[in-house]
Amino acid sequence: MKAREIKTGVHWVGAVDWDRRLFDELIPLPDGTSYNAYLVQGSQKTALIDTVDPTMAEVLFARLDSLKVKAIDYVVINHAEQDHSGTLPGVLSKYPQAKVICTPKCKGLLMDLLLIPEAKIITVEDKETVSLGDRTLEFVHAAWVHWPETMLTYLREDKILFSCDLFGAHLATSELYVSDEGHLYESAKRYYAEIMMPFRPNIEKHLARLKEYNVELIAPSHGPLHRRPEFIIKAYHRWVFDPPQNIVVLPYISMHGSTRQMVNYFVEALTQRGVVVKQFELSQVDIGKLAMALVDAATLVIGTPTVLISPHPLVAYATFLANALRPKTRFASIIGSFGWGSRAKETIIDMIPNLKVELLEPVIIKGLPREADFKALDNLAAIIAEKHKGLAQASS
Ligand code: FEO
């Protein structure tokens, strides 16, 4: 387990977690992940930027040992979430002279989450700098990418931005740098959709601020490093700023086939009108793919049967997620069938206050669809197609 040199005196000392399949006991990790930590050695001081998930503490220590690091002066904690800060107690015990550098908000979190003594922590304001001798660290407060305490660290002389979760990707790879931008794009988009999308307005501000910095290398805390920063910055611009596209995302489930008949008919009706449909059967869904589809979609249509007058619990789960992720979706509707009674429509509408959408008249029916129900689905498909055309014209 050796450190990997980025530049003389700047090393990657992180850990690649090939086998992890779930993050936060919620987010699927089809390609594993990495926890990136970096050692920056100046002429006078040495700083460790972030640590690793505590399950992989020994990997970090082995890499530091490979550099024969005798002393660490500063441990910069860009973000208090434990996949980056969790090995901080171990680092402080191995390097007892080290002080922790973080934002004022992060200080409280480190004291609460990891029981770090207050006396060990130095807080830094936005744009404050710390000298390592011939190298300078500048701290950029970046609230809500991912938590409110998050900051980025810019290594001025080397033009490296340690961007923490921002621009990251859950991707285990033996390559230090991005080599296949197409593959990375998918992983980074999945990461953006699951982790960053709820904070689009904050990201918008941070992207604007980062224009002040001359960045030659982006070193995130997950996934490979970006030697072409413009690639990932442009991707973020697209995801955050581009208007939603002519896409309907359709998460659904069916218990006895009635809702499925509606979904099948509706998908065909949309397709014939030139609308792209991304359909997700919820009993086997990869929620990461569903989240990615929501990044670009103009419309969300939820397909649900009724269980004890409510939406199916798996539909409720998907609806909860869509609401939490706050995509830029503009329109929403609901289709589905019930047996003897339903408040599924009302329940779903109450579950999506975060979605700033125009609700298009839902189609909720009793039993199997009849001719009038298919007409209602045709009508809904026609309205969606028209709405999407309006969006395209407004953005052209
Ligand atoms: Fe990778 Fe928000 O921690």
Side-chain angles (χ1 to χ4, degrees), residues 23-24 33-35 79-84 145-147 149-150 164-165 170 191 195-196 221-222:
F23 195 82
D24 288 347
T33 191
S34 66
Y35 320 108
H79 176 26
E81 193 167 11
Q82 290 91 330
D83 52 325
H84 310 296
V145 289
H146 166 211
W147 284 2
E149 87 305 357
T150 307
C164 198
D165 280 347
H170 283 313
Y191 187 89
I195 312 285
M196 294 290 159
S221 56
H222 297 288

Side-chain angles (χ1 to χ4, degrees), residues 53-71:
D53 191 273
T55 55
M56 304 200 84
E58 293 313 313
V59 176
L60 170 67
F61 294 137
R63 296 200 201 279
L64 290 171
D65 289 345
S66 77
L67 290 170
K68 301 189 174 21
V69 175
K70 296 271 185 312

